Amino acid sequence: MSDKSGTLTDGQKRQFVTEGYLIMKGLYSPNELEEIERTFEEISHRFIPGHFEPVLNASSADPLSRYPRVMQPHRFDETALRYMLHEPVLDVLTDLFEEEPLAAQSMFYYKPPGSRGQALHQDNFYLKVEPGNCIAAWLAVDSADMENGGMLVVPKTQEHEIVCPELADESESFTKHLVKVPEGTKAIPAVMEKGDVLFFNGNLIHGSFRNKTKDRFRRAFICHYAGQSAMRIASHYRPLLRADGSVAETDINHEGGPCGVEFEALYPH
Ligand SMILES: O=C(O)CCC(=O)C(=O)O
């Protein structure tokens, strides 16, 4: 763990606290981005049970059957683990949590041309970090805009409670849940250049639309973190890892959340 403190300016911290998100540049070098691209290009040709299950010779109309997202790659790939624990990202998170961050989840989205988006949702509905909250670090491996299905955020909704989602339109979203944009708020595009990292609060409503392009992937390496004072988290996200890769003790959060304990298919988000 780095002993650096004060990575963020007061303005950047204020942006995160008041708006619920923050975009940072320059946390990855061109060589590091290239290593991430190479790693997931290699993974894209494999079948890794429980993590990445593509139809490798897919002729399906759904581009996501050939390129589903990769779940928890840090559990089978050393490079993914190293970048989930990337020091410049952890330094930003230390400022945002005001304590040591613990890594809970990694994912890689290929989001090829034509693929569906992910309907608006709140991450801590799924992670159930308590006490405190989770924070996402979303790395743009390709530049991301509204044409290729870049991220949408609803500023200031980090102040809102976690709500029980409605059903999403699965012809447009590959996930089942939708949290509607609350009255008086608006979803705005988070336009990002390759290498930018979007940090956002676990209550912030966010998601993405379809990749409307014919030839531009929208790849992203996405990790979720909790603060070290978190005592419980949903079981799929354990074990939480410290910066040196060691396991931090946490309990399973069995609470049902705003939909109640009967709600099925809480995971994956
Ligand atoms: O990358 C996307 O399109 C959505 C990702 C997302 O919403 C998440 O990781 O929580």
Side-chain angles (χ1 to χ4, degrees):
M1 173 68 200
S2 159
D3 61 0
K4 262 190 272 171
S5 60
T7 296
L8 296 178
T9 64
D10 289 346
Q12 288 168 325
K13 276 191 228 165
R14 204 175 320 117
Q15 156 76 25
F16 187 83
V17 170
T18 61
E19 303 304 308
Y21 70 97
L22 170 70
I23 296 177
M24 293 289 290
K25 293 187 171 294
L27 301 183
Y28 287 84
S29 71
N31 282 347
E32 289 165 344
L33 287 169
E34 209 261 321
E35 188 181 12
I36 292 171
E37 287 182 74
R38 203 172 51 242
T39 298
F40 285 96
E41 165 58 25
E42 280 163 13
I43 289 173
S44 78
H45 298 287
R46 296 164 58 193
F47 186 96
I48 306 159
H51 295 280
F52 182 63
E53 301 185 349
V55 180
L56 287 169
N57 57 358
S59 54
S60 152
D62 181 3
L64 291 176
S65 60
R66 172 63 188 86
Y67 287 105
R69 57 186 172 170
V70 188
M71 302 303 282
Q72 304 286 33
H74 69 280
R75 293 189 184 161
F76 65 87
D77 184 88
E78 180 277 328
T79 305
L81 173 63
R82 188 153 35 82
Y83 285 113
M84 181 171 75
L85 303 175
H86 190 50
E87 190 173 305
V89 168
L90 296 186
D91 287 341
V92 171
L93 289 163
T94 303
D95 278 7
L96 297 178
F97 280 117
E98 298 182 339
E99 62 179 354
E100 183 189 343
L102 305 173
Q105 184 185 35
S106 64
M107 296 188 286
F108 190 87
Y109 286 32
Y110 295 96
K111 199 161 188 181
S115 55
R116 286 169 291 162
Q118 181 165 3
L120 294 173
H121 61 279
Q122 296 169 295
D123 287 342
N124 211 34
F125 174 73
Y126 305 93
L127 278 88
K128 297 184 185 164
V129 170
E130 272 181 357
N133 206 334
C134 57
I135 296 179
W138 192 103
L139 167 67
V141 177
D142 297 303
S143 59
D145 50 48
M146 283 305 96
E147 283 306 300
N148 70 347
M151 287 289 276
L152 290 159
V153 294
V154 186
K156 299 194 189 296
T157 50
Q158 79 284 1
E159 308 282 357
H160 293 227
E161 295 293 307
I162 297 288
V163 299
C164 182
E166 302 177 23
L167 290 180
D169 171 1
E170 288 184 65
S171 67
E172 286 302 320
S173 169
F174 74 87
T175 48
K176 292 178 186 303
H177 301 154
L178 167 72
V179 174
K180 285 210 175 124
V181 176
E183 231 178 280
T185 64
K186 195 169 163 233
I188 62 166
V191 176
M192 295 170 68
E193 291 176 2
K194 182 184 179 109
D196 292 354
V197 182
L198 169 67
F199 292 88
F200 54 93
N201 177 294
N203 281 36
L204 189 86
I205 300 174
H206 68 281
S208 67
F209 291 145
R210 182 182 289 280
N211 180 344
K212 291 182 280 189
T213 70
K214 295 212 170 345
D215 54 3
R216 290 171 58 209
F217 278 65
R218 195 237 59 190
R219 294 168 299 175
F221 181 58
I222 308 166
C223 297
H224 292 94
Y225 304 84
Q228 69 168 351
S229 56
M231 293 165 71
R232 291 174 294 283
I233 188 165
S235 61
H236 293 287
Y237 304 93
R238 290 164 80 243
L240 276 80
L241 302 181
R242 295 195 190 87
D244 64 2
S246 63
V247 170
E249 282 303 313
T250 41
D251 291 331
I252 298 178
N253 191 344
H254 293 287
E255 294 296 315
C259 300
V261 281
E262 300 302 316
F263 194 76
E264 45 96 40
L266 290 179
Y267 174 86
H269 81 281

PDB file of all heavy atoms in Angstrom, residues 224-254:
ATOM      1  N   HIS A 224     -14.464  -2.633  -8.491  1.00  0.00           N
ATOM      2  CA  HIS A 224     -15.228  -2.064  -7.382  1.00  0.00           C
ATOM      3  C   HIS A 224     -14.473  -2.280  -6.079  1.00  0.00           C
ATOM      4  O   HIS A 224     -13.866  -3.341  -5.876  1.00  0.00           O
ATOM      5  CB  HIS A 224     -16.613  -2.709  -7.301  1.00  0.00           C
ATOM      6  CG  HIS A 224     -17.486  -2.343  -8.453  1.00  0.00           C
ATOM      7  ND1 HIS A 224     -17.606  -3.112  -9.580  1.00  0.00           N
ATOM      8  CD2 HIS A 224     -18.267  -1.264  -8.662  1.00  0.00           C
ATOM      9  CE1 HIS A 224     -18.429  -2.537 -10.434  1.00  0.00           C
ATOM     10  NE2 HIS A 224     -18.845  -1.408  -9.899  1.00  0.00           N
ATOM     11  N   TYR A 225     -14.583  -1.288  -5.206  1.00  0.00           N
ATOM     12  CA  TYR A 225     -13.806  -1.281  -3.961  1.00  0.00           C
ATOM     13  C   TYR A 225     -14.711  -0.896  -2.790  1.00  0.00           C
ATOM     14  O   TYR A 225     -15.717  -0.205  -2.959  1.00  0.00           O
ATOM     15  CB  TYR A 225     -12.669  -0.250  -4.060  1.00  0.00           C
ATOM     16  CG  TYR A 225     -11.755  -0.484  -5.243  1.00  0.00           C
ATOM     17  CD1 TYR A 225     -12.087   0.003  -6.511  1.00  0.00           C
ATOM     18  CD2 TYR A 225     -10.577  -1.217  -5.107  1.00  0.00           C
ATOM     19  CE1 TYR A 225     -11.262  -0.227  -7.612  1.00  0.00           C
ATOM     20  CE2 TYR A 225      -9.745  -1.449  -6.197  1.00  0.00           C
ATOM     21  CZ  TYR A 225     -10.100  -0.948  -7.439  1.00  0.00           C
ATOM     22  OH  TYR A 225      -9.286  -1.194  -8.530  1.00  0.00           O
ATOM     23  N   ALA A 226     -14.283  -1.324  -1.609  1.00  0.00           N
ATOM     24  CA  ALA A 226     -14.918  -0.885  -0.358  1.00  0.00           C
ATOM     25  C   ALA A 226     -13.828  -0.239   0.493  1.00  0.00           C
ATOM     26  O   ALA A 226     -12.632  -0.427   0.222  1.00  0.00           O
ATOM     27  CB  ALA A 226     -15.515  -2.085   0.368  1.00  0.00           C
ATOM     28  N   GLY A 227     -14.233   0.485   1.529  1.00  0.00           N
ATOM     29  CA  GLY A 227     -13.252   1.035   2.468  1.00  0.00           C
ATOM     30  C   GLY A 227     -12.932  -0.001   3.534  1.00  0.00           C
ATOM     31  O   GLY A 227     -13.723  -0.925   3.777  1.00  0.00           O
ATOM     32  N   GLN A 228     -11.772   0.151   4.183  1.00  0.00           N
ATOM     33  CA  GLN A 228     -11.353  -0.907   5.131  1.00  0.00           C
ATOM     34  C   GLN A 228     -12.279  -1.050   6.333  1.00  0.00           C
ATOM     35  O   GLN A 228     -12.277  -2.080   7.002  1.00  0.00           O
ATOM     36  CB  GLN A 228      -9.919  -0.670   5.594  1.00  0.00           C
ATOM     37  CG  GLN A 228      -9.762   0.528   6.482  1.00  0.00           C
ATOM     38  CD  GLN A 228      -8.395   0.551   7.147  1.00  0.00           C
ATOM     39  OE1 GLN A 228      -7.642  -0.406   7.068  1.00  0.00           O
ATOM     40  NE2 GLN A 228      -8.086   1.665   7.786  1.00  0.00           N
ATOM     41  N   SER A 229     -13.100  -0.023   6.604  1.00  0.00           N
ATOM     42  CA  SER A 229     -14.013  -0.154   7.744  1.00  0.00           C
ATOM     43  C   SER A 229     -15.282  -0.926   7.387  1.00  0.00           C
ATOM     44  O   SER A 229     -16.128  -1.170   8.246  1.00  0.00           O
ATOM     45  CB  SER A 229     -14.374   1.226   8.313  1.00  0.00           C
ATOM     46  OG  SER A 229     -14.926   2.020   7.285  1.00  0.00           O
ATOM     47  N   ALA A 230     -15.420  -1.315   6.107  1.00  0.00           N
ATOM     48  CA  ALA A 230     -16.577  -2.139   5.719  1.00  0.00           C
ATOM     49  C   ALA A 230     -16.504  -3.466   6.460  1.00  0.00           C
ATOM     50  O   ALA A 230     -15.436  -4.085   6.537  1.00  0.00           O
ATOM     51  CB  ALA A 230     -16.568  -2.391   4.217  1.00  0.00           C
ATOM     52  N   MET A 231     -17.629  -3.895   7.003  1.00  0.00           N
ATOM     53  CA  MET A 231     -17.617  -5.157   7.743  1.00  0.00           C
ATOM     54  C   MET A 231     -18.352  -6.266   7.026  1.00  0.00           C
ATOM     55  O   MET A 231     -18.120  -7.443   7.270  1.00  0.00           O
ATOM     56  CB  MET A 231     -18.215  -4.939   9.131  1.00  0.00           C
ATOM     57  CG  MET A 231     -17.304  -4.036   9.959  1.00  0.00           C
ATOM     58  SD  MET A 231     -18.123  -3.396  11.401  1.00  0.00           S
ATOM     59  CE  MET A 231     -18.222  -4.883  12.349  1.00  0.00           C
ATOM     60  N   ARG A 232     -19.258  -5.881   6.119  1.00  0.00           N
ATOM     61  CA  ARG A 232     -20.066  -6.889   5.410  1.00  0.00           C
ATOM     62  C   ARG A 232     -20.157  -6.532   3.940  1.00  0.00           C
ATOM     63  O   ARG A 232     -20.215  -5.354   3.577  1.00  0.00           O
ATOM     64  CB  ARG A 232     -21.495  -6.911   5.974  1.00  0.00           C
ATOM     65  CG  ARG A 232     -21.623  -7.443   7.372  1.00  0.00           C
ATOM     66  CD  ARG A 232     -23.040  -7.306   7.905  1.00  0.00           C
ATOM     67  NE  ARG A 232     -23.428  -5.903   8.072  1.00  0.00           N
ATOM     68  CZ  ARG A 232     -23.021  -5.139   9.079  1.00  0.00           C
ATOM     69  NH1 ARG A 232     -22.243  -5.636  10.022  1.00  0.00           N
ATOM     70  NH2 ARG A 232     -23.380  -3.879   9.155  1.00  0.00           N
ATOM     71  N   ILE A 233     -20.257  -7.581   3.102  1.00  0.00           N
ATOM     72  CA  ILE A 233     -20.429  -7.395   1.659  1.00  0.00           C
ATOM     73  C   ILE A 233     -21.111  -8.655   1.122  1.00  0.00           C
ATOM     74  O   ILE A 233     -20.981  -9.734   1.726  1.00  0.00           O
ATOM     75  CB  ILE A 233     -19.050  -7.145   0.972  1.00  0.00           C
ATOM     76  CG1 ILE A 233     -19.225  -6.742  -0.499  1.00  0.00           C
ATOM     77  CG2 ILE A 233     -18.128  -8.353   1.097  1.00  0.00           C
ATOM     78  CD1 ILE A 233     -17.967  -6.124  -1.135  1.00  0.00           C
ATOM     79  N   ALA A 234     -21.846  -8.531   0.010  1.00  0.00           N
ATOM     80  CA  ALA A 234     -22.522  -9.709  -0.558  1.00  0.00           C
ATOM     81  C   ALA A 234     -21.480 -10.778  -0.909  1.00  0.00           C
ATOM     82  O   ALA A 234     -20.344 -10.465  -1.293  1.00  0.00           O
ATOM     83  CB  ALA A 234     -23.323  -9.300  -1.785  1.00  0.00           C
ATOM     84  N   SER A 235     -21.890 -12.034  -0.804  1.00  0.00           N
ATOM     85  CA  SER A 235     -20.909 -13.131  -0.823  1.00  0.00           C
ATOM     86  C   SER A 235     -20.097 -13.222  -2.112  1.00  0.00           C
ATOM     87  O   SER A 235     -18.926 -13.604  -2.077  1.00  0.00           O
ATOM     88  CB  SER A 235     -21.598 -14.469  -0.560  1.00  0.00           C
ATOM     89  OG  SER A 235     -22.541 -14.708  -1.571  1.00  0.00           O
ATOM     90  N   HIS A 236     -20.690 -12.849  -3.248  1.00  0.00           N
ATOM     91  CA  HIS A 236     -19.975 -12.973  -4.533  1.00  0.00           C
ATOM     92  C   HIS A 236     -18.717 -12.119  -4.603  1.00  0.00           C
ATOM     93  O   HIS A 236     -17.884 -12.325  -5.477  1.00  0.00           O
ATOM     94  CB  HIS A 236     -20.882 -12.555  -5.686  1.00  0.00           C
ATOM     95  CG  HIS A 236     -22.021 -13.481  -5.897  1.00  0.00           C
ATOM     96  ND1 HIS A 236     -21.871 -14.730  -6.443  1.00  0.00           N
ATOM     97  CD2 HIS A 236     -23.340 -13.347  -5.612  1.00  0.00           C
ATOM     98  CE1 HIS A 236     -23.049 -15.323  -6.499  1.00  0.00           C
ATOM     99  NE2 HIS A 236     -23.954 -14.508  -5.999  1.00  0.00           N
ATOM    100  N   TYR A 237     -18.624 -11.129  -3.726  1.00  0.00           N
ATOM    101  CA  TYR A 237     -17.521 -10.162  -3.841  1.00  0.00           C
ATOM    102  C   TYR A 237     -16.397 -10.447  -2.858  1.00  0.00           C
ATOM    103  O   TYR A 237     -15.429  -9.708  -2.807  1.00  0.00           O
ATOM    104  CB  TYR A 237     -18.073  -8.743  -3.650  1.00  0.00           C
ATOM    105  CG  TYR A 237     -19.183  -8.451  -4.633  1.00  0.00           C
ATOM    106  CD1 TYR A 237     -20.516  -8.673  -4.300  1.00  0.00           C
ATOM    107  CD2 TYR A 237     -18.894  -8.021  -5.927  1.00  0.00           C
ATOM    108  CE1 TYR A 237     -21.536  -8.452  -5.214  1.00  0.00           C
ATOM    109  CE2 TYR A 237     -19.908  -7.794  -6.844  1.00  0.00           C
ATOM    110  CZ  TYR A 237     -21.226  -8.018  -6.480  1.00  0.00           C
ATOM    111  OH  TYR A 237     -22.222  -7.806  -7.398  1.00  0.00           O
ATOM    112  N   ARG A 238     -16.557 -11.494  -2.073  1.00  0.00           N
ATOM    113  CA  ARG A 238     -15.486 -11.862  -1.152  1.00  0.00           C
ATOM    114  C   ARG A 238     -14.556 -12.852  -1.833  1.00  0.00           C
ATOM    115  O   ARG A 238     -15.001 -13.618  -2.692  1.00  0.00           O
ATOM    116  CB  ARG A 238     -16.075 -12.486   0.118  1.00  0.00           C
ATOM    117  CG  ARG A 238     -16.808 -11.470   0.968  1.00  0.00           C
ATOM    118  CD  ARG A 238     -17.700 -12.134   2.003  1.00  0.00           C
ATOM    119  NE  ARG A 238     -16.962 -12.595   3.177  1.00  0.00           N
ATOM    120  CZ  ARG A 238     -16.879 -13.876   3.532  1.00  0.00           C
ATOM    121  NH1 ARG A 238     -17.451 -14.824   2.807  1.00  0.00           N
ATOM    122  NH2 ARG A 238     -16.211 -14.220   4.603  1.00  0.00           N
ATOM    123  N   PRO A 239     -13.284 -12.922  -1.515  1.00  0.00           N
ATOM    124  CA  PRO A 239     -12.632 -12.118  -0.491  1.00  0.00           C
ATOM    125  C   PRO A 239     -12.232 -10.726  -1.002  1.00  0.00           C
ATOM    126  O   PRO A 239     -11.894 -10.556  -2.166  1.00  0.00           O
ATOM    127  CB  PRO A 239     -11.363 -12.931  -0.184  1.00  0.00           C
ATOM    128  CG  PRO A 239     -11.027 -13.588  -1.492  1.00  0.00           C
ATOM    129  CD  PRO A 239     -12.360 -13.898  -2.132  1.00  0.00           C
ATOM    130  N   LEU A 240     -12.258  -9.762  -0.088  1.00  0.00           N
ATOM    131  CA  LEU A 240     -11.733  -8.434  -0.406  1.00  0.00           C
ATOM    132  C   LEU A 240     -10.223  -8.444  -0.242  1.00  0.00           C
ATOM    133  O   LEU A 240      -9.697  -9.080   0.680  1.00  0.00           O
ATOM    134  CB  LEU A 240     -12.348  -7.389   0.524  1.00  0.00           C
ATOM    135  CG  LEU A 240     -13.708  -6.860   0.067  1.00  0.00           C
ATOM    136  CD1 LEU A 240     -14.791  -7.837   0.424  1.00  0.00           C
ATOM    137  CD2 LEU A 240     -13.988  -5.506   0.687  1.00  0.00           C
ATOM    138  N   LEU A 241      -9.547  -7.734  -1.138  1.00  0.00           N
ATOM    139  CA  LEU A 241      -8.082  -7.757  -1.143  1.00  0.00           C
ATOM    140  C   LEU A 241      -7.490  -6.405  -0.803  1.00  0.00           C
ATOM    141  O   LEU A 241      -7.955  -5.369  -1.294  1.00  0.00           O
ATOM    142  CB  LEU A 241      -7.576  -8.190  -2.522  1.00  0.00           C
ATOM    143  CG  LEU A 241      -8.058  -9.554  -3.024  1.00  0.00           C
ATOM    144  CD1 LEU A 241      -7.448  -9.860  -4.391  1.00  0.00           C
ATOM    145  CD2 LEU A 241      -7.721 -10.657  -2.029  1.00  0.00           C
ATOM    146  N   ARG A 242      -6.443  -6.450   0.000  1.00  0.00           N
ATOM    147  CA  ARG A 242      -5.667  -5.238   0.282  1.00  0.00           C
ATOM    148  C   ARG A 242      -4.699  -4.980  -0.882  1.00  0.00           C
ATOM    149  O   ARG A 242      -4.522  -5.845  -1.759  1.00  0.00           O
ATOM    150  CB  ARG A 242      -4.837  -5.422   1.552  1.00  0.00           C
ATOM    151  CG  ARG A 242      -5.667  -5.576   2.785  1.00  0.00           C
ATOM    152  CD  ARG A 242      -4.790  -5.377   4.027  1.00  0.00           C
ATOM    153  NE  ARG A 242      -5.562  -5.760   5.202  1.00  0.00           N
ATOM    154  CZ  ARG A 242      -5.639  -6.998   5.667  1.00  0.00           C
ATOM    155  NH1 ARG A 242      -4.962  -7.987   5.090  1.00  0.00           N
ATOM    156  NH2 ARG A 242      -6.382  -7.271   6.713  1.00  0.00           N
ATOM    157  N   ALA A 243      -4.022  -3.833  -0.839  1.00  0.00           N
ATOM    158  CA  ALA A 243      -3.109  -3.445  -1.918  1.00  0.00           C
ATOM    159  C   ALA A 243      -2.012  -4.477  -2.154  1.00  0.00           C
ATOM    160  O   ALA A 243      -1.542  -4.655  -3.286  1.00  0.00           O
ATOM    161  CB  ALA A 243      -2.486  -2.090  -1.587  1.00  0.00           C
ATOM    162  N   ASP A 244      -1.591  -5.193  -1.102  1.00  0.00           N
ATOM    163  CA  ASP A 244      -0.520  -6.190  -1.274  1.00  0.00           C
ATOM    164  C   ASP A 244      -1.081  -7.563  -1.669  1.00  0.00           C
ATOM    165  O   ASP A 244      -0.342  -8.549  -1.710  1.00  0.00           O
ATOM    166  CB  ASP A 244       0.324  -6.293   0.013  1.00  0.00           C
ATOM    167  CG  ASP A 244      -0.498  -6.799   1.198  1.00  0.00           C
ATOM    168  OD1 ASP A 244      -1.703  -7.112   1.025  1.00  0.00           O
ATOM    169  OD2 ASP A 244       0.066  -6.867   2.317  1.00  0.00           O
ATOM    170  N   GLY A 245      -2.373  -7.618  -1.928  1.00  0.00           N
ATOM    171  CA  GLY A 245      -2.997  -8.877  -2.368  1.00  0.00           C
ATOM    172  C   GLY A 245      -3.472  -9.753  -1.218  1.00  0.00           C
ATOM    173  O   GLY A 245      -4.109 -10.786  -1.461  1.00  0.00           O
ATOM    174  N   SER A 246      -3.176  -9.356   0.019  1.00  0.00           N
ATOM    175  CA  SER A 246      -3.622 -10.188   1.147  1.00  0.00           C
ATOM    176  C   SER A 246      -5.126  -9.990   1.374  1.00  0.00           C
ATOM    177  O   SER A 246      -5.709  -8.976   0.977  1.00  0.00           O
ATOM    178  CB  SER A 246      -2.824  -9.852   2.416  1.00  0.00           C
ATOM    179  OG  SER A 246      -3.070  -8.515   2.779  1.00  0.00           O
ATOM    180  N   VAL A 247      -5.725 -10.980   2.028  1.00  0.00           N
ATOM    181  CA  VAL A 247      -7.177 -10.983   2.215  1.00  0.00           C
ATOM    182  C   VAL A 247      -7.555 -10.204   3.475  1.00  0.00           C
ATOM    183  O   VAL A 247      -6.966 -10.399   4.539  1.00  0.00           O
ATOM    184  CB  VAL A 247      -7.686 -12.440   2.324  1.00  0.00           C
ATOM    185  CG1 VAL A 247      -9.146 -12.494   2.759  1.00  0.00           C
ATOM    186  CG2 VAL A 247      -7.493 -13.156   0.975  1.00  0.00           C
ATOM    187  N   ALA A 248      -8.549  -9.324   3.330  1.00  0.00           N
ATOM    188  CA  ALA A 248      -9.067  -8.573   4.486  1.00  0.00           C
ATOM    189  C   ALA A 248     -10.319  -9.291   4.993  1.00  0.00           C
ATOM    190  O   ALA A 248     -11.173  -9.686   4.203  1.00  0.00           O
ATOM    191  CB  ALA A 248      -9.411  -7.154   4.061  1.00  0.00           C
ATOM    192  N   GLU A 249     -10.397  -9.450   6.292  1.00  0.00           N
ATOM    193  CA  GLU A 249     -11.550 -10.145   6.905  1.00  0.00           C
ATOM    194  C   GLU A 249     -12.829  -9.348   6.708  1.00  0.00           C
ATOM    195  O   GLU A 249     -12.887  -8.165   7.048  1.00  0.00           O
ATOM    196  CB  GLU A 249     -11.308 -10.299   8.412  1.00  0.00           C
ATOM    197  CG  GLU A 249     -10.364 -11.423   8.779  1.00  0.00           C
ATOM    198  CD  GLU A 249     -10.829 -12.779   8.253  1.00  0.00           C
ATOM    199  OE1 GLU A 249     -12.021 -13.090   8.427  1.00  0.00           O
ATOM    200  OE2 GLU A 249     -10.003 -13.504   7.662  1.00  0.00           O
ATOM    201  N   THR A 250     -13.873  -9.975   6.170  1.00  0.00           N
ATOM    202  CA  THR A 250     -15.200  -9.348   6.101  1.00  0.00           C
ATOM    203  C   THR A 250     -16.238 -10.452   6.228  1.00  0.00           C
ATOM    204  O   THR A 250     -15.991 -11.587   5.838  1.00  0.00           O
ATOM    205  CB  THR A 250     -15.474  -8.660   4.742  1.00  0.00           C
ATOM    206  OG1 THR A 250     -14.970  -9.479   3.702  1.00  0.00           O
ATOM    207  CG2 THR A 250     -14.927  -7.260   4.675  1.00  0.00           C
ATOM    208  N   ASP A 251     -17.417 -10.078   6.728  1.00  0.00           N
ATOM    209  CA  ASP A 251     -18.520 -11.038   6.804  1.00  0.00           C
ATOM    210  C   ASP A 251     -19.372 -10.940   5.554  1.00  0.00           C
ATOM    211  O   ASP A 251     -19.293  -9.957   4.819  1.00  0.00           O
ATOM    212  CB  ASP A 251     -19.386 -10.730   8.031  1.00  0.00           C
ATOM    213  CG  ASP A 251     -18.630 -11.039   9.318  1.00  0.00           C
ATOM    214  OD1 ASP A 251     -17.766 -11.939   9.287  1.00  0.00           O
ATOM    215  OD2 ASP A 251     -18.887 -10.359  10.329  1.00  0.00           O
ATOM    216  N   ILE A 252     -20.218 -11.955   5.390  1.00  0.00           N
ATOM    217  CA  ILE A 252     -21.183 -11.926   4.284  1.00  0.00           C
ATOM    218  C   ILE A 252     -22.379 -11.092   4.716  1.00  0.00           C
ATOM    219  O   ILE A 252     -22.886 -11.247   5.834  1.00  0.00           O
ATOM    220  CB  ILE A 252     -21.661 -13.351   3.935  1.00  0.00           C
ATOM    221  CG1 ILE A 252     -20.473 -14.199   3.468  1.00  0.00           C
ATOM    222  CG2 ILE A 252     -22.747 -13.302   2.866  1.00  0.00           C
ATOM    223  CD1 ILE A 252     -20.842 -15.634   3.140  1.00  0.00           C
ATOM    224  N   ASN A 253     -22.819 -10.211   3.824  1.00  0.00           N
ATOM    225  CA  ASN A 253     -24.043  -9.457   4.096  1.00  0.00           C
ATOM    226  C   ASN A 253     -25.225 -10.252   3.531  1.00  0.00           C
ATOM    227  O   ASN A 253     -25.357 -10.397   2.322  1.00  0.00           O
ATOM    228  CB  ASN A 253     -23.970  -8.071   3.435  1.00  0.00           C
ATOM    229  CG  ASN A 253     -25.086  -7.178   3.916  1.00  0.00           C
ATOM    230  OD1 ASN A 253     -26.055  -7.660   4.497  1.00  0.00           O
ATOM    231  ND2 ASN A 253     -24.949  -5.885   3.693  1.00  0.00           N
ATOM    232  N   HIS A 254     -26.070 -10.761   4.422  1.00  0.00           N
ATOM    233  CA  HIS A 254     -27.211 -11.577   3.988  1.00  0.00           C
ATOM    234  C   HIS A 254     -28.491 -10.757   3.847  1.00  0.00           C
ATOM    235  O   HIS A 254     -29.542 -11.305   3.558  1.00  0.00           O
ATOM    236  CB  HIS A 254     -27.479 -12.707   5.008  1.00  0.00           C
ATOM    237  CG  HIS A 254     -26.383 -13.726   5.064  1.00  0.00           C
ATOM    238  ND1 HIS A 254     -26.176 -14.645   4.067  1.00  0.00           N
ATOM    239  CD2 HIS A 254     -25.430 -13.961   5.991  1.00  0.00           C
ATOM    240  CE1 HIS A 254     -25.143 -15.413   4.390  1.00  0.00           C
ATOM    241  NE2 HIS A 254     -24.670 -15.014   5.553  1.00  0.00           N
TER     242      HIS A 254
END
